[in-house]
């Protein structure tokens, strides 16, 4: 009888712990101004930005932090987390179509930019990603 009672308490405890962890995992991980669709305008330093078709590189940040986008040839998905002005993108998962080298180079640069981003600012509907004090890329809200 005591064993059944002990198991009941363990099951109840695990159920409550699961509910608490479920609630914590669904908190908003992104601040409201970041939520929306963003279009790449340029990489920094701008004198080295020779990419064509930048307007094709877009991404959408959702309330829960899921981020998805299109890079001119392939689609991608990642997770975005923020804390005040800091930002972190998770591992980028993307489709694997082979396209013209111009698109592939743009995709590589875009993925590197997301993985290196540590800080962000938003001014006049422009999102700028930084790695420390170094500007990486600018995006406009669509």
């Amino acid at each position: 009888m005591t064993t059944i009672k002990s198991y009941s308490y363990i099951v109840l405890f695990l159920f409550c712990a699961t509910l608490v962890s479920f609630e914590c995992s669904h908190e908003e991980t992104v601040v409201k101004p970041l939520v929306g669709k963003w279009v790449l305008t340029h990489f920094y330093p701008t004198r080295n930005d020779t990419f064509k078709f930048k307007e094709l590189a877009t991404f959408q940040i959702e309330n829960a932090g899921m981020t998805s986008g299109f890079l001119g040839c392939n689609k991608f998905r990642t997770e975005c987390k923020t804390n005040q002005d800091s930002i972190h993108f998770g591992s980028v998962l993307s489709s694997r179509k082979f396209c013209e080298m111009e698109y592939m180079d743009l995709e590589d640069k875009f993925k590197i930019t997301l993985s290196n981003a540590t800080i962000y600012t938003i001014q006049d509907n422009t999102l700028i990603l930084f790695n420390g004090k170094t500007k990486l890329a600018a995006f406009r809200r669509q």
Side-chain angles (χ1 to χ4, degrees):
M1 189 69 150
T2 324
T3 307
I4 293 174
K5 197 173 187 180
S6 297
Y7 283 126
S8 297
Y9 284 125
I10 291 171
V11 168
L12 180 63
F13 173 76
L14 291 174
F15 178 73
C16 290
T18 302
L19 284 178
V20 168
S21 68
F22 179 75
E23 286 299 316
C24 292
S25 69
H26 283 80
E27 292 177 7
E28 288 187 357
T29 57
V30 177
V31 292
K32 292 283 186 207
L34 268 175
V35 173
K37 189 170 186 177
W38 298 94
V39 180
L40 176 65
T41 57
H42 56 275
F43 292 108
Y44 290 99
T46 53
R47 68 181 178 280
N48 294 342
D49 183 3
T50 59
F51 292 103
K52 299 177 185 176
F53 315 115
K54 288 186 290 272
E55 68 280 354
L56 294 177
T58 62
F59 67 101
Q60 172 90 25
I61 300 177
E62 301 167 6
N63 279 332
M66 284 311 299
T67 302
S68 59
F70 181 69
L71 299 172
C73 179
N74 289 295
K75 295 178 181 179
F76 78 93
R77 191 157 187 86
T78 185
E79 185 178 43
C80 175
K81 292 184 181 180
T82 60
N83 183 8
Q84 296 177 343
D85 66 344
S86 69
I87 191 165
H88 172 75
F89 292 94
S91 298
V92 177
L93 304 172
S94 65
S95 54
R96 310 221 347 128
K97 294 181 196 172
F98 183 77
C99 302
E100 293 179 32
M101 201 53 143
E102 292 174 323
Y103 293 107
M104 302 303 288
D105 290 343
L106 176 66
E107 291 182 9
D108 290 342
K109 178 74 172 173
F110 191 92
K111 289 177 190 177
I112 290 168
T113 297
L114 290 185
S115 65
N116 288 336
T118 58
I119 298 173
Y120 75 96
T121 62
I122 299 176
Q123 297 174 5
D124 301 323
N125 284 325
T126 300
L127 168 66
I128 301 176
L129 297 179
F130 295 83
N131 183 342
K133 293 182 179 181
T134 305
K135 287 183 179 180
L136 299 175
F139 305 84
R140 70 175 159 73
R141 186 181 298 277
Q142 189 174 42

